[in-house]
Amino acid sequence: MPKKNIAIIGATGFTGSELVRILHLHPEVNISLITSESRAGEKFSDVHPFFRGIVDQQLYSVNDLDQFEVDLAFLALPHGVSMEYVEKFDGHSFPIVDLSGDYRLNNPETYEAWYNKKHSFTKAFEYAAYGIPELYRDKIKKARLVANPGCYPTSVILGAAPLIDSGLVHTDRIISDSKSGITGAGVKAKTVNHYSNVNDNFKAYGIKTHRHSIEIQENFERLGDTEVKVQFTPHLLPIDRGILSTIYLQPKSNITEGKIKEIYEDFYKDGPFIRLLDQAPAVKNVRGTNYCDIYTTYDERTNNIMVFSAIDNLVKGAAGQAVQNMNLLFGWNEALGLNQIPLCP
Amino acid sequence: MPKKNIAIIGATGFTGSELVRILHLHPEVNISLITSESRAGEKFSDVHPFFRGIVDQQLYSVNDLDQFEVDLAFLALPHGVSMEYVEKFDGHSFPIVDLSGDYRLNNPETYEAWYNKKHSFTKAFEYAAYGIPELYRDKIKKARLVANPGCYPTSVILGAAPLIDSGLVHTDRIISDSKSGITGAGVKAKTVNHYSNVNDNFKAYGIKTHRHSIEIQENFERLGDTEVKVQFTPHLLPIDRGILSTIYLQPKSNITEGKIKEIYEDFYKDGPFIRLLDQAPAVKNVRGTNYCDIYTTYDERTNNIMVFSAIDNLVKGAAGQAVQNMNLLFGWNEALGLNQIPLCP
Amino acid sequence: MPKKNIAIIGATGFTGSELVRILHLHPEVNISLITSESRAGEKFSDVHPFFRGIVDQQLYSVNDLDQFEVDLAFLALPHGVSMEYVEKFDGHSFPIVDLSGDYRLNNPETYEAWYNKKHSFTKAFEYAAYGIPELYRDKIKKARLVANPGCYPTSVILGAAPLIDSGLVHTDRIISDSKSGITGAGVKAKTVNHYSNVNDNFKAYGIKTHRHSIEIQENFERLGDTEVKVQFTPHLLPIDRGILSTIYLQPKSNITEGKIKEIYEDFYKDGPFIRLLDQAPAVKNVRGTNYCDIYTTYDERTNNIMVFSAIDNLVKGAAGQAVQNMNLLFGWNEALGLNQIPLCP
Amino acid sequence: MPKKNIAIIGATGFTGSELVRILHLHPEVNISLITSESRAGEKFSDVHPFFRGIVDQQLYSVNDLDQFEVDLAFLALPHGVSMEYVEKFDGHSFPIVDLSGDYRLNNPETYEAWYNKKHSFTKAFEYAAYGIPELYRDKIKKARLVANPGCYPTSVILGAAPLIDSGLVHTDRIISDSKSGITGAGVKAKTVNHYSNVNDNFKAYGIKTHRHSIEIQENFERLGDTEVKVQFTPHLLPIDRGILSTIYLQPKSNITEGKIKEIYEDFYKDGPFIRLLDQAPAVKNVRGTNYCDIYTTYDERTNNIMVFSAIDNLVKGAAGQAVQNMNLLFGWNEALGLNQIPLCP
């Protein structure tokens, strides 16, 4: 069977280079096209020199797309830009996996309220599927457009979904204290990612207002079929990659640690990337991979359930999950090409 | 007036070197004696080479103590060892500031339960004062023995004390998600502080069981005159110094952000080291100093109060606070010799 | 064709886990046995938790070796210990790739002088091949024992070999100012790798006396057929992985940058892992891979040639090169299973 | 005696904030004015939040200078901008310490050749003194304008000056392999200081062409009264602060390590900030201070002298040395206000 031809729209960011890192070794695909409007004509390895001798293919403008075979397109673009391409590709037959935030929320109104921006192509909300395979596998398989989840939401949703789904916890008092490496802030140089502002430092940001709050909340509401309130507090870690979410939940009635572990094992019995641990996860143990490491515990003294969930924000939180969604769209084993081993140390 | 003579018992750890860093420039004291049983006979700068040419004085055994003038002794020793020295110095007239955990809790029974160790000199509990000057200034001034607080408890107690004291928050559902640099784990090489286990990494530890949980809880109970439950979850940051505690509390009834800020300003009006911020604190902004930076906010959507509290674990969380306590014991301005400016970047 | 069965002797160190990381995905081998005397009976993923769910096989004592099929053994052991295993396996037919320093030097006398230790199995020097494939491909293919090179020597030898071989540079005044990440110091916790001694720090060590000096020098003498003096100065970088060597050489007579580049292109025309760059290499650009990135330049003003050579000390400087040697021993393409893409950032 | 009034021209950079960090605690000065054209009207602590509660004074435009008492001005400005202020202040009586590169070289012609820029106020070259106190103390005391040295040149010149001055080494084959923290690249966010380009990374830059080459060379020529060739190769360390220079020199004739140490002790007998070590210096051991730690050694095997020189690039390499120069200009002890102790760890 011939390999599938893949287009990557947007080459200069971290998610673009991560997609290429994974897809270049994927056994069933061929990267037929990588685009960049700002760097078209240059080689991919001019933009990302670590690819020299590995992926030197030329970058094109998206205007040249019709010259290439395309069976699926990844959009590795900023939010607000992505929607333009979803519109542009509307007449094409290939499915799209969009790594931006443009179609992650339930409807354009919520988008406009939280992203503080007019949505210019609202029609695609109708056929977009939210791309967490562990939760929405069947819907993703048939989607024309997959909205690849945010990095923080991936860690928080995978961390708490089994408990929300079980109906055993209060959903109006969920706290997720989340911590992320700096690559989440993008490749473009700005004050927040100046080395001297990150190194030896740690702080919270986006308190009460971060857009991922509503993305988490909407998914929990869908799962639990109830109103949800999540206090989501992101913090900035002095590392490149990795998110750890520490999630605090309260049981509605008596619960045991054993019962919680049973719920998780059952919920994730088909998830090749969920590793249920018997100790606290460390972000370095998932670095470069599509794993989500989860540890659950219950404190009788305080009646709190705590869930610790670790991912690599660029892989399970972005490019790796996007490839997992691609695998579903093509009807393949969802783990195909995602057998990377953590780089540790 | 002649300078006061100070003995530092225990020279090889981080708290020992931090005490010397601060006391060497303190205008009213003279470091008459630094002891180390393992390195006696060597120079202090042999143990800590960055002091070369600054503090080269010889290290002695504690057995030589009587040859020196001592107006106050700092114990920079591990818990379990410190109590032996408190006993040994019991007949001496000088006051003691103990940086270990041996006298921080209310009574020997609690100590033995949480430290999993028999206490060998319980008598001193009677005359020990818990050394957070912002809360117990008057008691400290008259103490023979000051139990210098743990690093995490300093950040959490200072962060939430005004609200606990106000009686306006529920005390049975406090969460402190705390993150600390690696120096909290001590100077001795062990797996946990191997560079490759810390760098690019992040994880929780001591979940549900960390000894600082009870230290925090006892102080909140004293302040609030009520039963308290604190979920304290420490995490390890890839930095040398700094603790950030993110504290989640729930108001008993309607509250506003303005009211909270008023409570904090009033509570800390005499505290020279508390900086109440209008944005999230960053640990690098207090590095090397005795400051505790605090930011408070209230989320109407979720009805949570959040407090962010940042300190340098080796200064306000250890040696700096110890010097602040010394200043109180000698009747001086509590900020004397503690005017360090953050080293940033 | 059935896969080859591989034994990894020594599981607890960084080279052990890197071997497993590479070999587990190698298309033509099966890891039949991993040994550890201290952790036998436990799972490999108990020692290296990031392998959980990936490589959970049990660890055995080397005494159980005869129960397993073994077509080749890697020794991931400290120097001084490795030689005991070379002796123990002397009667077996399988070839050995030894990652220690026990057989890297020309003869036992030099070993004993530089390693300050008696060599207990000198016979194997006769059949050991020094394992830099780019230089000694043919000899390695036929060897019973491959002495896998030191990490620093790999970077320095690959960096300067073409020039030494060309006869165009003075060999009595070579300087290599080399810088390495901390994993080179091993997995065992010690003062030198305490996070607080490495983070935000940088210093030289092993000045004039480092054992890798003689390893580099012997290889240059072999290549240049002349007496060589190399000033090798290692420094410790605050990173996990990576070596950059900055090598200064002087031409014997007039030379041009173009001529130098020609020499390198010719010398490495068959080396799949040498990337000749037109700008200074960065260690992060080879992280996790078997690449050696080299940049050469000539300064007319000073008459110095400078070579910059970057590797990952755990891959091209250890486990990756060992697998490359294994491929040669089995008559395979030397790049088989070594197609990792740099993890960057 | 009243305190001297100091103006700091340029508040937003790292050298600006370091000057304030040092001068705020200096016993004999008062910071009367801090200027910033871009942030005038804001508080200094708005720009550098770690100063909150410490230095909150308002920033002014330089146009307001005449409203303030000024006994000395520091220019903490980029090169090319500084010369405009030297011209603007030409009619004023106060001396200037310029932290830029505008007057560090011997003459405008060399400046224009290496900085690739027209010099707009060449007259001041006549009355500028190069500000390394250890070498030019007497000249600095009488200068109207002190050109504060570059960070790399400070480390290299202090490292090798005694040997150049002694006439015992070849001056046409000096190599300085230098490594610096990222703050040397300035406070402005750009690709080179994006956290993900620095963290876990290491590389050379400015090979053969860095402007500090000529600054080093001119000073060595002045000292040695001979033609000098220096190969200066800067590298970028994943740390905030610190420069380590590893300098390789060749003796003209027989020399001993003892003789070298004697030369250094004699040369620096009056230098309060030079620490001559008996082991390799570490950059963390001088962090936050004006020290320059130097270690010298001689390798008989190769006939190389090696010098290791460590400074904090923002202190001895910038603001600290500037204050040392100020002390000389006012006729004070040159160490006044520069008694900071290294922040380690």
Side-chain angles (χ1 to χ4, degrees):
Chain A
M1 202 170 61
K3 294 190 174 187
K4 294 289 188 185
N5 288 300
I6 305 299
I8 297 169
I9 310 302
T12 57
F14 291 135
T15 50
S17 70
E18 280 293 282
L19 280 169
V20 176
R21 184 175 72 87
I22 296 168
L23 293 172
H24 177 69
L25 297 178
H26 191 288
E28 298 296 341
V29 311
N30 167 51
I31 303 174
S32 58
L33 170 65
I34 312 175
T35 77
S36 168
E37 301 312 302
S38 61
R39 308 287 296 261
E42 294 183 70
K43 292 191 290 185
F44 181 70
S45 55
D46 291 336
V47 178
H48 301 287
F50 64 98
F51 272 104
R52 183 169 171 145
I54 305 170
V55 178
D56 294 314
Q57 70 190 79
Q58 198 195 312
L59 300 175
Y60 286 85
S61 164
V62 75
N63 297 326
D64 298 320
L65 182 114
D66 289 342
Q67 304 169 25
F68 296 85
E69 299 286 323
V70 177
D71 296 313
L72 182 146
F74 290 101
L75 306 186
L77 299 166
H79 73 264
V81 178
S82 231
M83 58 179 80
E84 298 172 21
Y85 286 76
V86 172
E87 183 169 16
K88 190 190 296 277
F89 296 161
D90 194 38
H92 290 74
S93 61
F94 54 76
I96 294 171
V97 179
D98 174 18
L99 283 85
S100 88
D102 280 352
Y103 294 96
R104 290 177 191 155
L105 301 184
N106 285 345
N107 55 58
E109 294 70 35
T110 317
Y111 178 90
E112 294 180 357
W114 282 81
Y115 282 72
N116 203 20
K117 186 180 178 72
K118 184 100 190 111
H119 202 294
S120 64
F121 188 64
T122 60
K123 192 183 89 177
F125 275 93
E126 290 164 30
Y127 55 83
Y130 189 75
I132 288 205
E134 287 76 7
L135 270 64
Y136 309 115
R137 207 165 265 123
D138 293 337
K139 196 166 174 210
I140 293 164
K141 285 179 183 175
K142 296 172 289 192
R144 270 173 61 195
L145 170 63
V146 176
N148 212 58
C151 49
Y152 282 121
T154 298
S155 84
V156 183
I157 294 167
L158 289 174
L163 280 167
I164 308 293
D165 176 73
S166 75
L168 298 177
V169 294
H170 291 289
T171 57
D172 58 346
R173 56 188 83 163
I174 301 171
I175 291 172
S176 182
D177 192 281
S178 297
K179 303 90 177 174
S180 172
I182 189 66
T183 51
V187 78
K188 206 173 156 186
K190 39 194 172 182
T191 300
V192 74
N193 57 31
H194 188 301
Y195 182 80
S196 296
N197 287 335
V198 179
N199 181 47
D200 289 323
N201 208 357
F202 184 69
K203 64 180 170 189
Y205 68 100
I207 300 163
K208 301 192 291 186
T209 61
H210 197 288
R211 287 157 184 164
H212 287 171
S213 304
I214 185 66
E215 188 177 335
I216 296 165
Q217 205 157 292
E218 282 191 352
N219 275 280
F220 284 167
E221 285 175 347
R222 204 177 302 149
L223 265 178
D225 199 19
T226 174
E227 211 202 326
V228 172
K229 282 183 188 161
V230 177
Q231 190 76 54
F232 165 66
T233 312
H235 300 70
L236 189 53
L237 285 169
I239 64 175
D240 282 319
R241 292 165 180 257
I243 288 177
L244 185 86
S245 287
T246 307
I247 311 168
Y248 299 88
L249 306 116
Q250 292 179 356
K252 286 182 185 160
S253 56
N254 281 357
I255 203 160
T256 64
E257 205 156 286
K259 175 67 182 162
I260 297 167
K261 294 196 184 297
E262 202 178 280
I263 289 168
Y264 275 72
E265 273 158 29
D266 187 56
F267 194 90
Y268 287 128
K269 62 180 182 297
D270 301 324
F273 298 113
I274 308 294
R275 301 195 293 191
L276 301 174
L277 308 185
D278 46 14
Q279 58 182 315
V283 294
K284 207 173 188 174
N285 284 355
V286 298
R287 186 164 60 161
T289 77
N290 207 44
Y291 289 111
C292 177
D293 280 5
I294 295 174
Y295 172 65
T296 55
T297 190
Y298 172 64
D299 193 343
E300 282 185 44
R301 188 176 62 90
T302 57
N303 196 31
N304 285 317
I305 298 170
M306 285 172 281
V307 183
F308 301 84
S309 161
I311 61 167
D312 181 325
N313 57 303
L314 294 181
V315 189
K316 186 61 177 166
Q321 187 149 260
V323 171
Q324 191 180 355
N325 283 319
M326 175 196 80
N327 288 339
L328 290 175
L329 285 165
F330 287 140
W332 299 333
N333 179 334
E334 76 188 81
L336 203 65
L338 289 166
N339 60 348
Q340 292 80 16
I341 296 175
L343 194 74
C344 184
Chain B
M1 201 169 59
K3 293 190 175 187
K4 294 288 188 186
N5 287 301
I6 305 300
I8 298 169
I9 309 302
T12 57
F14 290 134
T15 51
S17 70
E18 280 292 284
L19 280 169
V20 176
R21 184 176 72 87
I22 296 168
L23 292 172
H24 178 69
L25 296 178
H26 191 288
E28 298 296 340
V29 311
N30 167 52
I31 303 174
S32 59
L33 171 65
I34 311 174
T35 77
S36 167
E37 301 313 300
S38 61
R39 307 288 296 263
E42 294 184 70
K43 291 190 289 185
F44 181 70
S45 55
D46 291 337
V47 178
H48 301 287
F50 63 98
F51 272 104
R52 181 166 174 147
I54 306 171
V55 178
D56 293 314
Q57 69 191 82
Q58 198 195 313
L59 301 175
Y60 287 85
S61 164
V62 76
N63 297 327
D64 299 320
L65 182 115
D66 289 342
Q67 303 169 25
F68 296 86
E69 299 285 325
V70 177
D71 296 314
L72 182 145
F74 289 100
L75 305 185
L77 300 165
H79 74 264
V81 178
S82 229
M83 57 177 80
E84 298 172 21
Y85 286 76
V86 172
E87 182 168 19
K88 189 190 297 275
F89 296 161
D90 194 37
H92 289 75
S93 62
F94 55 75
I96 294 170
V97 179
D98 174 18
L99 283 83
S100 88
D102 280 352
Y103 294 96
R104 289 178 191 155
L105 301 184
N106 285 345
N107 55 58
E109 293 70 35
T110 316
Y111 178 89
E112 294 179 358
W114 282 80
Y115 282 72
N116 203 19
K117 186 181 179 70
K118 182 103 189 110
H119 203 293
S120 65
F121 188 66
T122 60
K123 193 182 89 176
F125 275 93
E126 291 164 29
Y127 56 81
Y130 189 75
I132 288 205
E134 287 76 7
L135 271 65
Y136 310 115
R137 206 165 267 124
D138 293 337
K139 197 167 173 210
I140 294 166
K141 284 179 183 175
K142 296 172 289 192
R144 271 173 61 195
L145 170 63
V146 176
N148 212 58
C151 48
Y152 282 120
T154 298
S155 83
V156 183
I157 295 168
L158 289 175
L163 281 167
I164 309 293
D165 177 74
S166 76
L168 299 177
V169 294
H170 291 289
T171 57
D172 59 346
R173 56 187 83 161
I174 301 170
I175 291 172
S176 182
D177 193 280
S178 297
K179 304 89 177 175
S180 172
I182 190 67
T183 52
V187 78
K188 206 172 155 187
K190 39 194 173 184
T191 299
V192 74
N193 56 32
H194 188 301
Y195 182 80
S196 296
N197 287 335
V198 180
N199 182 45
D200 289 323
N201 209 356
F202 184 69
K203 64 179 169 191
Y205 68 100
I207 300 162
K208 299 193 292 187
T209 62
H210 197 288
R211 286 156 185 164
H212 287 171
S213 304
I214 185 66
E215 187 178 336
I216 296 165
Q217 205 159 292
E218 282 191 352
N219 275 279
F220 284 167
E221 286 175 346
R222 203 177 300 149
L223 265 179
D225 201 18
T226 174
E227 211 201 325
V228 172
K229 281 185 188 157
V230 177
Q231 190 76 55
F232 165 65
T233 312
H235 299 71
L236 190 52
L237 285 169
I239 63 174
D240 283 319
R241 293 165 180 256
I243 288 178
L244 185 85
S245 287
T246 308
I247 310 169
Y248 299 88
L249 305 115
Q250 292 178 357
K252 287 181 184 160
S253 56
N254 280 356
I255 203 161
T256 63
E257 203 156 288
K259 175 67 183 164
I260 296 167
K261 293 194 184 300
E262 201 178 281
I263 290 168
Y264 276 72
E265 274 159 27
D266 187 57
F267 194 90
Y268 288 128
K269 62 180 181 295
D270 300 323
F273 298 113
I274 308 294
R275 300 196 292 191
L276 300 175
L277 307 185
D278 46 13
Q279 58 181 315
V283 295
K284 205 172 190 175
N285 285 354
V286 298
R287 183 162 66 160
T289 76
N290 207 44
Y291 288 110
C292 177
D293 280 5
I294 295 174
Y295 172 65
T296 55
T297 190
Y298 171 66
D299 193 342
E300 281 185 45
R301 189 177 61 91
T302 57
N303 197 31
N304 284 317
I305 298 170
M306 285 173 280
V307 183
F308 300 84
S309 162
I311 60 167
D312 181 326
N313 57 303
L314 294 181
V315 188
K316 186 60 177 169
Q321 188 150 262
V323 171
Q324 191 180 354
N325 283 318
M326 175 196 80
N327 287 338
L328 290 175
L329 286 165
F330 287 140
W332 299 334
N333 179 334
E334 75 189 81
L336 203 66
L338 288 166
N339 60 349
Q340 291 80 16
I341 296 175
L343 194 74
C344 185
Chain C
M1 202 169 58
K3 294 191 176 188
K4 295 287 187 185
N5 288 301
I6 305 299
I8 297 170
I9 310 302
T12 56
F14 291 133
T15 51
S17 70
E18 280 293 283
L19 280 169
V20 176
R21 184 176 71 88
I22 296 168
L23 293 171
H24 178 68
L25 296 178
H26 191 289
E28 298 297 339
V29 310
N30 167 50
I31 302 174
S32 58
L33 169 65
I34 312 175
T35 76
S36 167
E37 301 313 300
S38 61
R39 309 286 296 262
E42 294 184 70
K43 290 191 289 185
F44 181 71
S45 56
D46 291 336
V47 178
H48 302 286
F50 63 98
F51 273 104
R52 180 167 174 147
I54 306 170
V55 178
D56 293 316
Q57 69 190 82
Q58 199 195 313
L59 300 176
Y60 287 85
S61 164
V62 75
N63 297 326
D64 298 322
L65 181 115
D66 289 342
Q67 304 170 25
F68 296 86
E69 299 286 325
V70 177
D71 296 312
L72 182 145
F74 289 99
L75 306 185
L77 300 165
H79 74 264
V81 178
S82 230
M83 57 178 83
E84 299 172 19
Y85 286 76
V86 172
E87 184 169 16
K88 189 190 297 275
F89 297 161
D90 193 39
H92 289 74
S93 62
F94 54 75
I96 295 170
V97 179
D98 174 19
L99 283 85
S100 87
D102 280 351
Y103 295 95
R104 289 177 192 156
L105 301 184
N106 285 345
N107 54 59
E109 293 71 35
T110 316
Y111 178 89
E112 294 181 356
W114 282 81
Y115 281 73
N116 204 18
K117 185 180 180 71
K118 184 99 190 112
H119 202 293
S120 65
F121 188 64
T122 61
K123 194 182 87 176
F125 275 93
E126 291 163 29
Y127 56 81
Y130 189 76
I132 288 205
E134 287 76 7
L135 271 65
Y136 310 114
R137 207 165 265 122
D138 293 336
K139 200 170 169 206
I140 294 164
K141 286 179 182 174
K142 297 171 292 192
R144 274 173 58 196
L145 170 62
V146 176
N148 211 58
C151 49
Y152 282 120
T154 297
S155 83
V156 183
I157 294 167
L158 288 174
L163 281 167
I164 309 293
D165 176 73
S166 75
L168 298 177
V169 294
H170 290 289
T171 57
D172 59 345
R173 56 188 81 162
I174 301 170
I175 291 172
S176 182
D177 194 280
S178 295
K179 303 90 177 173
S180 173
I182 190 67
T183 51
V187 79
K188 207 174 156 185
K190 39 194 172 183
T191 300
V192 74
N193 55 32
H194 188 301
Y195 182 81
S196 295
N197 288 335
V198 179
N199 180 46
D200 289 323
N201 208 355
F202 184 69
K203 65 179 168 189
Y205 69 100
I207 300 162
K208 300 192 293 187
T209 61
H210 196 286
R211 287 156 185 166
H212 286 171
S213 304
I214 186 65
E215 188 177 336
I216 296 165
Q217 205 157 293
E218 282 191 352
N219 275 279
F220 283 168
E221 287 175 345
R222 203 178 300 149
L223 265 179
D225 200 19
T226 174
E227 212 201 322
V228 172
K229 281 183 186 157
V230 177
Q231 189 76 54
F232 165 65
T233 311
H235 300 71
L236 190 54
L237 285 169
I239 63 176
D240 282 319
R241 294 163 179 257
I243 288 178
L244 185 85
S245 288
T246 307
I247 311 170
Y248 299 88
L249 306 115
Q250 292 178 355
K252 285 182 185 160
S253 56
N254 281 356
I255 203 161
T256 63
E257 204 155 287
K259 175 67 184 164
I260 296 167
K261 294 195 183 299
E262 202 177 280
I263 289 168
Y264 275 72
E265 274 159 28
D266 187 56
F267 194 91
Y268 287 128
K269 61 180 180 297
D270 299 324
F273 298 113
I274 309 294
R275 300 196 291 191
L276 301 175
L277 308 185
D278 47 13
Q279 58 181 315
V283 295
K284 206 173 192 174
N285 284 355
V286 299
R287 184 163 64 162
T289 76
N290 208 43
Y291 289 110
C292 177
D293 280 4
I294 295 175
Y295 172 64
T296 55
T297 190
Y298 171 66
D299 194 342
E300 282 184 45
R301 189 175 63 89
T302 57
N303 197 34
N304 285 317
I305 299 169
M306 285 174 280
V307 183
F308 301 84
S309 162
I311 61 168
D312 181 326
N313 57 303
L314 294 180
V315 189
K316 185 60 178 167
Q321 187 149 260
V323 171
Q324 191 180 354
N325 284 318
M326 176 196 79
N327 287 338
L328 291 176
L329 286 164
F330 286 141
W332 299 334
N333 179 335
E334 75 188 81
L336 203 67
L338 289 166
N339 60 348
Q340 291 80 16
I341 296 176
L343 193 75
C344 185
Chain D
M1 203 170 58
K3 294 191 174 187
K4 295 286 188 186
N5 288 300
I6 305 299
I8 296 169
I9 310 302
T12 55
F14 291 134
T15 51
S17 70
E18 280 293 283
L19 280 169
V20 176
R21 185 176 71 88
I22 296 168
L23 292 171
H24 178 69
L25 296 178
H26 191 288
E28 298 296 341
V29 310
N30 167 50
I31 302 174
S32 59
L33 170 64
I34 311 175
T35 77
S36 168
E37 301 313 301
S38 61
R39 310 286 296 261
E42 293 184 69
K43 292 190 289 184
F44 181 71
S45 55
D46 291 337
V47 179
H48 301 287
F50 62 99
F51 273 104
R52 180 166 173 149
I54 306 170
V55 178
D56 294 315
Q57 69 190 81
Q58 199 195 313
L59 300 175
Y60 286 85
S61 164
V62 75
N63 297 326
D64 299 321
L65 181 115
D66 289 341
Q67 303 170 23
F68 296 86
E69 298 286 323
V70 178
D71 296 312
L72 182 145
F74 289 100
L75 306 185
L77 300 166
H79 74 264
V81 178
S82 231
M83 58 178 82
E84 298 172 20
Y85 286 76
V86 172
E87 184 169 15
K88 190 190 295 276
F89 296 161
D90 193 39
H92 289 75
S93 61
F94 53 75
I96 295 170
V97 179
D98 174 18
L99 283 85
S100 88
D102 280 352
Y103 295 96
R104 289 178 191 155
L105 301 184
N106 285 345
N107 55 59
E109 293 71 34
T110 316
Y111 178 89
E112 294 180 358
W114 283 81
Y115 282 72
N116 204 18
K117 187 182 178 74
K118 185 101 190 108
H119 202 295
S120 65
F121 188 64
T122 60
K123 193 183 89 176
F125 275 93
E126 291 163 29
Y127 56 80
Y130 189 75
I132 289 206
E134 286 76 7
L135 270 66
Y136 309 116
R137 208 165 265 123
D138 293 337
K139 197 167 172 209
I140 294 165
K141 285 180 183 175
K142 296 171 293 192
R144 272 173 59 195
L145 170 62
V146 176
N148 212 59
C151 48
Y152 282 121
T154 297
S155 84
V156 183
I157 295 168
L158 288 175
L163 281 167
I164 308 294
D165 176 74
S166 75
L168 299 177
V169 294
H170 291 289
T171 57
D172 59 345
R173 56 188 81 162
I174 301 170
I175 291 172
S176 182
D177 193 280
S178 296
K179 303 90 178 175
S180 174
I182 190 67
T183 52
V187 77
K188 206 174 156 183
K190 39 195 171 183
T191 300
V192 74
N193 56 31
H194 188 300
Y195 182 80
S196 296
N197 287 335
V198 179
N199 181 46
D200 289 324
N201 208 357
F202 184 69
K203 65 179 168 188
Y205 69 101
I207 300 163
K208 301 193 290 185
T209 61
H210 197 287
R211 286 155 185 165
H212 286 171
S213 303
I214 185 66
E215 187 177 337
I216 296 165
Q217 205 158 291
E218 283 190 352
N219 275 280
F220 284 168
E221 286 175 346
R222 203 177 301 149
L223 265 179
D225 200 18
T226 175
E227 212 202 323
V228 171
K229 281 183 187 158
V230 177
Q231 189 76 55
F232 166 66
T233 311
H235 299 71
L236 190 53
L237 285 168
I239 63 176
D240 283 319
R241 293 164 179 256
I243 288 178
L244 185 86
S245 287
T246 308
I247 311 169
Y248 300 87
L249 305 115
Q250 293 179 355
K252 286 182 185 161
S253 56
N254 281 355
I255 203 161
T256 64
E257 204 155 288
K259 175 67 184 166
I260 296 167
K261 295 197 183 297
E262 202 178 279
I263 289 168
Y264 275 73
E265 274 160 27
D266 187 57
F267 194 90
Y268 287 127
K269 60 181 183 296
D270 300 324
F273 298 113
I274 309 294
R275 300 197 293 191
L276 301 175
L277 308 185
D278 46 13
Q279 58 180 314
V283 295
K284 207 172 189 176
N285 285 355
V286 299
R287 185 164 62 162
T289 77
N290 207 45
Y291 289 110
C292 177
D293 281 4
I294 296 174
Y295 172 64
T296 55
T297 190
Y298 171 65
D299 194 342
E300 282 184 45
R301 188 176 62 91
T302 57
N303 197 32
N304 284 317
I305 298 169
M306 284 172 281
V307 183
F308 300 84
S309 162
I311 61 167
D312 182 325
N313 56 302
L314 294 181
V315 189
K316 185 61 179 168
Q321 186 148 261
V323 172
Q324 191 179 355
N325 284 318
M326 175 197 80
N327 287 339
L328 290 176
L329 286 165
F330 286 141
W332 298 334
N333 179 334
E334 75 189 81
L336 203 66
L338 289 166
N339 60 348
Q340 292 80 16
I341 296 175
L343 194 74
C344 186

